[in-house]
Amino acid sequence: MSLRTSGSARAGQYAALLCYLGFLAFPFLWLISTAFKPARELGSLHPTWIPEQPTLDNFRQAFDEQPLLRAAANSLTAALCAALIAVVVATPMAYVMARHRGRLATAATGWVVVSQAFPFVLVIIPLFLVLKNLHLINSLWGLVMVYVVWSLPFALWMLAGYVRAVPPELEEAAAVDGAGKVRILVSVTAPLLAPGIVATALFAFITAWNEFFFALVLLKTPEKQTLPVVLTHFLGAEGVADLGPLAAAAFLATLPSLVLFAVIQKRITGGLTAGAVKH
């Protein structure tokens, strides 16, 4: 009876998981379908899942109407720099938060939690004034600074959890051999944190790549605008979307995140015991 109940429960879990995956996949699949549909099918009263006459005209029109490559290069620069800086800054800070318990660590953890509740509109005005005084308005480096600050709290919280999972005995053994704090962090702890560092960098990259509000407010000239901002240019003055080119451009904008995750997803779970063997 228990085996039958367990099998039914497992089947229900799989069914719920499939429904959830279908819910998540539906917008993306519909986006792909729309990107390859000709204008006649886009205006049809009876839409179909699979384009009857697939075309690449929407992609050609998207590149002709907007500077997608330049915007993608701006987004890639901002996202990569933000992810790299956030990881480099967060790793030693997370180590201190996880290994040294006290009032300062507790206050830092509280700041991490509270800072995630701040809405964008609450900080945009003081942030704009600060960047204006630093002459970083309409600058990709100013945008990178914003992305680093915004992703740093979650990166700290995420990496601190990975640091706590590293056995302190490994560090104590390295200390007995005469290794200093920096050497222990670089040679012992960092290799064990590789999956966490990769996951944190991926989070910071995707957050910066998809971010729209800060880029819209801080970047003024078309040459500096990122891809999410350029995608809004496919909307007309009255809010009417040029649906085919917009879907094509949006599909291309999602590819870097998907490709990056597909490439490194195995490394997120790999290397959990790297560096754990004392030579």
Side-chain angles (χ1 to χ4, degrees):
M1 184 68 178
S2 60
L3 292 177
R4 184 177 301 175
T5 303
S6 177
S8 300
R10 185 176 296 275
Q13 292 175 351
Y14 282 125
L17 179 60
L18 288 175
C19 291
Y20 181 65
L21 291 177
F23 174 77
L24 293 179
F26 172 76
F28 184 66
L29 295 177
W30 189 256
L31 176 68
I32 297 175
S33 176
T34 303
F36 289 95
K37 287 181 178 179
R40 179 181 59 81
E41 292 187 41
L42 290 174
S44 174
L45 297 178
H46 304 285
T48 58
W49 270 99
I50 301 176
E52 297 177 357
Q53 296 179 343
T55 179
L56 295 176
D57 290 342
N58 292 326
F59 293 90
R60 299 189 188 97
Q61 186 176 349
F63 280 99
D64 290 339
E65 291 182 2
Q66 300 297 334
L68 296 180
L69 291 179
R70 183 178 64 198
N74 292 338
S75 291
L76 185 63
T77 300
L80 286 177
C81 291
L84 179 61
I85 296 173
V87 166
V88 171
V89 173
T91 300
M93 294 176 65
Y95 180 83
V96 173
M97 287 176 55
R99 286 290 187 257
H100 301 281
R101 301 297 179 88
R103 294 182 178 180
L104 182 60
T106 303
T109 304
W111 168 75
V112 168
V113 175
V114 172
S115 64
Q116 295 301 298
F118 289 164
F120 287 175
V121 294
L122 185 65
V123 300
I124 189 59
I125 294 178
L127 182 63
F128 184 89
L129 295 177
V130 170
L131 292 179
K132 182 179 179 181
N133 292 332
L134 295 175
H135 304 286
L136 290 176
I137 297 296
N138 196 35
S139 168
L140 282 179
W141 289 112
L143 190 64
V144 168
M145 290 178 57
V146 173
Y147 289 164
V148 170
V149 172
W150 197 256
S151 62
L152 195 57
F154 187 82
L156 281 171
W157 175 80
M158 192 172 183
L159 283 173
Y162 279 91
V163 173
R164 294 188 185 99
V166 176
E169 291 78 9
L170 297 175
E171 300 174 0
E172 294 172 359
V176 170
D177 289 342
K181 289 290 186 180
V182 177
R183 179 64 182 275
I184 292 174
L185 178 60
V186 173
S187 302
V188 178
T189 309
L192 295 172
L193 292 180
I197 292 174
V198 172
T200 303
L202 180 62
F203 160 79
F205 177 87
I206 293 178
T207 300
W209 177 268
N210 294 327
E211 201 281 323
F212 169 76
F213 183 67
F214 288 134
L216 177 66
V217 174
L218 299 177
L219 301 177
K220 301 300 181 182
T221 58
E223 294 78 13
K224 300 292 182 63
Q225 290 178 342
T226 58
L227 195 55
V229 177
V230 172
L231 290 180
T232 63
H233 297 169
F234 289 101
L235 299 176
E238 298 180 356
V240 179
D242 197 355
L243 193 56
L246 175 59
F251 169 64
L252 294 175
T254 61
L255 288 181
S257 297
L258 295 177
V259 171
L260 180 62
F261 182 80
V263 170
I264 69 176
Q265 60 92 14
K266 292 183 180 180
R267 298 187 180 182
I268 293 178
T269 57
L272 285 173
T273 58
V277 179
K278 178 183 173 184
H279 296 284

